[in-house]
Amino acid sequence: MAKLKVQLHLHTKEDPLDSIRLNAKQVIDLAARQNYDVLAITCHNVLIFNEDLKEYAEQKRILLIPGIEKTVERKHVVIINATVESQKINSFEDLKEYRKNHPECLILAPHPYYPGEISLGKKLALHHELFDAVEYSWFHSVRIDLPNKKAVKSAEKYKLPVLATSDCHLHKYMDYAYSYVTADKNTKSVLKAIKENKIHIVSHNLRFRQMLYIYAKMSILELIKKITLR
């Protein structure tokens, strides 16, 4: 087994909801330069994984795992090792059925306590049995980290591992948060190791000024995307 550098929550230009500069292959190139071993591209509500991307990642010595960030009853849920059927999930009952039929997947609770309607909040407690891990979000500073502290506390309560990810929309910050997972370099081994909490998380503090800049830029990009889709 090896200590693998893993990034399992990020977005690319192919995302239908967000305005993002780099496409999937460009993100794979960036991940290779940053020495990632395992990657999952998790666009909103659509599975963009295909054999061409998988082979391209392999050429860069990266294991690419299919992923999706699905909106479930207005809340975001990340599914790793997802299938095309995951695109049809709309309710937590659907998610429960999907998990039963696809035990090989890993279901991550992303940014559960960050402000906004899309975060799970109390839904994590109501449906904690559906999740395999809780995300430690990259968006924090030394003083502003209460949402992550709440996430860690919930993970401890429900005996779930904590996985650091970048939830990357601005790829300049992709390497600010990631996880090391002790596993063999294949999907089954990596996901099994995460579920068994063989994880070491890395998450660097942002400066408050950076956080303001990131929030403003992402808000502008979101507005541009909405105007474009009209």
Side-chain angles (χ1 to χ4, degrees):
M1 289 191 177
K3 194 175 182 181
L4 304 174
K5 188 178 181 182
V6 173
Q7 185 63 265
L8 295 184
H9 183 188
L10 57 88
H11 301 265
T12 63
K13 192 172 184 177
E14 293 83 357
D15 198 299
L17 296 187
D18 289 310
S19 181
I20 296 171
R21 187 170 62 89
L22 299 184
N23 65 33
K25 288 187 176 180
Q26 289 172 320
V27 168
I28 291 168
D29 290 339
L30 176 60
R33 292 195 297 273
Q34 294 178 342
N35 299 312
Y36 281 95
D37 299 292
V38 184
L39 209 62
I41 297 170
T42 54
C43 291
H44 292 107
N45 299 320
V46 62
L47 188 76
I48 71 158
F49 178 90
N50 57 46
E51 285 301 313
D52 179 51
L53 286 178
K54 179 184 176 184
E55 289 173 8
Y56 188 81
E58 285 175 353
Q59 292 169 16
K60 305 289 181 176
R61 299 183 180 180
I62 291 174
L63 170 66
L64 185 65
I65 303 176
I68 187 171
E69 184 166 18
K70 192 70 184 72
T71 303
V72 180
E73 296 179 17
R74 297 186 177 183
K75 306 298 182 182
H76 284 185
V77 172
V78 171
I79 304 170
I80 306 301
N81 203 23
T83 63
V84 291
E85 290 86 358
S86 64
Q87 297 176 138
K88 299 176 182 178
I89 297 170
N90 292 306
S91 68
F92 284 100
E93 193 58 39
D94 292 342
L95 185 63
K96 182 179 180 180
E97 188 67 16
Y98 182 87
R99 178 186 169 90
K100 185 174 78 173
N101 294 331
H102 298 276
E104 71 282 1
C105 76
L106 181 141
I107 301 177
L108 174 68
H111 47 73
Y113 297 110
Y114 275 74
E117 186 184 22
I118 61 171
S119 295
L120 283 160
K122 294 177 181 179
K123 294 285 187 180
L124 177 55
L126 286 172
H127 302 288
H128 64 88
E129 74 283 352
L130 299 180
F131 293 92
D132 298 298
V134 175
E135 181 183 74
Y136 192 96
S137 172
W138 70 288
F139 193 67
H140 63 85
S141 68
V142 173
R143 294 185 178 180
I144 303 174
D145 202 21
L146 182 60
N148 278 330
K149 289 177 180 176
K150 289 181 69 176
V152 170
K153 195 169 182 180
S154 286
E156 290 171 351
K157 181 177 180 179
Y158 302 119
K159 296 180 172 58
L160 295 172
V162 175
L163 189 73
T165 82
S166 72
D167 186 9
C168 199
H169 294 68
L170 302 175
H171 295 101
K172 176 181 177 180
Y173 302 99
M174 190 168 88
D175 213 32
Y176 268 62
Y178 52 88
S179 297
Y180 285 109
V181 177
T182 303
D184 293 323
K185 198 172 178 179
N186 63 72
T187 300
K188 183 177 179 180
S189 181
V190 169
L191 299 192
K192 183 174 183 287
I194 292 171
K195 291 175 183 180
E196 293 175 353
N197 204 15
K198 296 177 181 177
I199 305 167
H200 172 71
I201 68 171
V202 178
S203 193
H204 301 287
N205 288 305
L206 294 162
R207 296 190 299 275
F208 182 67
R209 189 169 51 186
Q210 283 179 302
M211 294 182 77
L212 290 176
Y213 167 79
I214 291 164
Y215 179 78
K217 185 162 186 177
M218 287 182 65
S219 297
I220 291 168
L221 290 173
E222 184 179 350
L223 180 61
I224 290 170
K225 189 72 172 185
K226 285 179 179 177
I227 292 169
T228 304
L229 291 173
R230 284 178 181 173

